[in-house]
Amino acid sequence: MLFDSSIRKELARSFGATLVVLVTVVMTMMLIRTLGQASRGSVNPSDVMLVMGYTVLGQLPTILSLSLFMAVVSVLSRMYRDSEMVIWFSAGQGLVSLLHPLLRFAWPVMAVIAILSLGVWPWANAQIQELKTRYEQRSDIDRIAPGEFQESANGTRVFFIDKDSPDTQVGNNIFIATSNGTKESVTSARSARLEIRAGERFALLSQGQRLESATDQHGLKISEFAEYGTRIGSASSASTEQLAVKTRTTRELLTQSTIPAYQAELGWRLGLALAAINFVVLGLALASVNPRAGRSGSLMFALFAFVVYFNLMTLGQSWVGAGKLGLSAFMFFLHGGTLVLALIILAARHNRWTLRRLQPARRTP
């Protein structure tokens, strides 16, 4: 049918253009964020692009939902503005009849959003967590690039290594500057090796000297040593670490749904899929044109509605995680209530319901 095909073609063009713009913006923001994490030592600099890719992949459900919502609102607003809606209405097509072609276009996008939110989202988070954990488990000597000063993981030490070593657990010509409260020290050594003793990671320095000073005291203490050990952190075990809730698979969340944190994460993932359906109905119900507001008025209103909806999802997730609200009640009131509200607005506009102010009848003398 010409009515369905014309709307779907225009929706596809608008959706594609919006998706490209949003993905570009999100990738730029994620790149800046990931570079900041790499500069703080949370992410390996060589894994910046990989972490950014996983992050954008995890954010795709939100990007697709927003692109779908903006496409529906922009296309319908243009049809109102160019009087095409008047032509379709005069041909016997009501506002509700637009819901069928919109859903025919949107159902593949909704399916992709459901797959991404239920399957790809935890997988991407698990990959990012694995990269961060692998980098955090590396020793401070491993993090040092030859010829460069770099802070340790906790920020209390500054390391320098003169040249590279074939062994990742051994370094040559080491310089360590430590600041711990009121005490400061500078340690230099010809070599250092990494050992783990009683669950603690130690760097054993050989053939060096140590300078110590205190901010509340005068004087400088100088000592030389043949071997000196300094603790640089606890030895972490990947096998005993618990994965974050966001990295749990959806099946694990369903099997342990009695835990509030798991319920909150499950509600978020299911909410991403349900929100896409609500955005299609809500976009049809709210799309209109106001000559006084300009062409971007409807898009700004749609963006505001999107922000409010997702903020409510985030707020509900925190309430469910804290045990203040049940998962079923949260899903019913937010997503179910939004769908009912959108259907009521759609029915009111389709049937042209208006609230008329009742006025008393005038009596004739």
Side-chain angles (χ1 to χ4, degrees):
M1 185 178 179
L2 179 62
F3 178 68
D4 293 3
S5 61
S6 62
I7 292 179
R8 292 200 303 269
K9 288 180 181 178
E10 190 169 358
L11 282 172
R13 290 193 296 267
S14 179
F15 175 78
T18 306
L19 181 62
V20 171
V21 172
L22 290 179
V23 169
T24 303
V25 173
V26 172
M27 288 185 64
T28 304
M29 295 174 59
M30 292 299 104
L31 178 60
I32 297 174
R33 177 183 176 185
T34 307
L35 289 175
Q37 293 177 352
S39 64
R40 293 192 301 268
S42 301
V43 177
N44 192 346
S46 61
D47 295 335
V48 167
M49 299 303 297
L50 195 58
V51 173
M52 185 193 69
Y54 287 137
T55 305
V56 174
L57 188 61
Q59 297 297 327
L60 269 182
T62 306
I63 298 174
L64 290 174
S65 298
L66 180 57
S67 300
L68 183 61
F69 190 34
M70 298 292 286
V72 171
V73 174
S74 62
V75 169
L76 295 181
S77 298
R78 188 206 61 79
M79 294 177 67
Y80 275 108
R81 185 172 58 252
D82 296 342
S83 301
E84 292 185 14
M85 297 297 289
V86 178
I87 299 175
W88 291 117
F89 290 159
S90 63
Q93 299 291 339
L95 190 61
V96 177
S97 61
L98 289 170
L99 190 59
H100 182 262
L102 290 179
L103 292 177
R104 285 191 60 185
F105 167 78
W107 77 262
V109 182
M110 296 176 184
V112 173
I113 292 174
I115 294 173
L116 290 173
S117 60
L118 297 178
V120 179
W121 163 260
W123 177 81
N125 289 327
Q127 298 301 315
I128 296 174
Q129 184 67 28
E130 182 180 355
L131 291 175
K132 291 183 178 180
T133 303
R134 187 187 307 169
Y135 185 64
E136 288 175 357
Q137 288 177 349
R138 299 173 63 189
S139 65
D140 290 329
I141 294 179
D142 295 333
R143 300 186 183 191
I144 303 171
E148 297 180 3
F149 289 90
Q150 186 168 345
E151 287 186 345
S152 62
N154 54 15
T156 60
R157 296 183 178 90
V158 176
F159 291 87
F160 178 84
I161 183 171
D162 184 32
K163 60 181 179 178
D164 202 359
S165 175
D167 190 355
T168 58
Q169 303 297 315
V170 177
N172 296 323
N173 296 330
I174 305 297
F175 169 86
I176 303 176
T178 305
S179 177
N180 187 8
T182 59
K183 295 183 180 181
E184 296 180 355
S185 64
V186 177
T187 307
S188 59
R190 289 188 177 181
S191 63
R193 68 180 186 274
L194 184 67
E195 291 187 1
I196 296 178
R197 298 179 179 180
E200 301 291 337
R201 185 183 291 117
F202 286 88
L204 300 181
L205 310 179
S206 301
Q207 302 299 323
Q209 70 175 20
R210 178 181 176 87
L211 287 75
E212 295 180 337
S213 63
T215 57
D216 55 349
Q217 297 179 0
H218 298 285
L220 183 66
K221 181 181 179 181
I222 302 176
S223 58
E224 296 183 356
F225 56 85
E227 187 175 77
Y228 174 78
T230 175
R231 179 180 176 274
I232 58 175
S234 302
S236 57
S237 178
S239 60
T240 59
E241 289 184 355
Q242 297 293 332
L243 295 177
V245 178
K246 292 184 179 180
T247 63
R248 298 285 185 178
T249 62
T250 305
R251 180 178 298 180
E252 291 178 343
L253 297 180
L254 290 172
T255 55
Q256 302 181 12
S257 59
T258 56
I259 303 176
Y262 288 4
Q263 290 182 353
E265 180 64 22
L266 182 61
W268 173 261
R269 297 179 189 179
L270 294 176
L272 290 175
L274 296 177
I277 303 175
N278 289 340
F279 282 138
V280 174
V281 182
L282 195 62
L284 177 59
L286 298 179
S288 62
V289 61
N290 186 1
R292 297 182 178 180
R295 295 185 176 182
S296 60
S298 58
L299 294 179
M300 295 300 296
F301 182 75
L303 183 60
F304 175 76
F306 179 86
V307 171
V308 172
Y309 195 104
F310 266 77
N311 283 337
L312 290 176
M313 288 179 58
T314 305
L315 180 62
Q317 183 185 14
S318 63
W319 283 356
V320 173
K324 298 180 180 179
L325 185 66
L327 177 60
S328 302
F330 164 66
M331 302 294 289
F332 175 78
F333 284 110
L334 180 58
H335 302 289
T338 303
L339 180 60
V340 171
L341 179 62
L343 291 176
I344 292 175
I345 298 175
L346 180 60
R349 295 190 60 191
H350 177 78
N351 298 312
R352 298 179 181 180
W353 294 339
T354 58
L355 297 177
R356 295 181 179 179
R357 184 176 180 180
L358 299 178
Q359 296 180 355
R362 295 182 179 179
R363 296 181 181 179
T364 58

